[in-house]
Coordinates of all heavy atoms in Angstrom, one line a residue:
L132 N 6.0 -28.8 63.5 CA 6.4 -28.7 62.1 C 5.3 -29.3 61.3 O 4.7 -30.3 61.7 CB 7.7 -29.4 61.9 CG 8.9 -29.1 62.8 CD1 10.1 -29.9 62.5 CD2 9.2 -27.6 62.7
K202 N -6.3 -16.7 57.7 CA -7.0 -16.0 58.8 C -7.4 -17.0 59.9 O -7.3 -16.7 61.1 CB -8.1 -15.2 58.2 CG -7.7 -14.1 57.3 CD -8.9 -13.4 56.7 CE -8.5 -12.2 55.9 NZ -9.7 -11.5 55.2
A225 N 7.5 -17.5 44.4 CA 6.4 -18.4 44.3 C 5.4 -17.9 43.3 O 5.1 -18.5 42.3 CB 5.7 -18.5 45.7

Side-chain angles (χ1 to χ4, degrees):
L132 309 176
K202 290 178 181 178

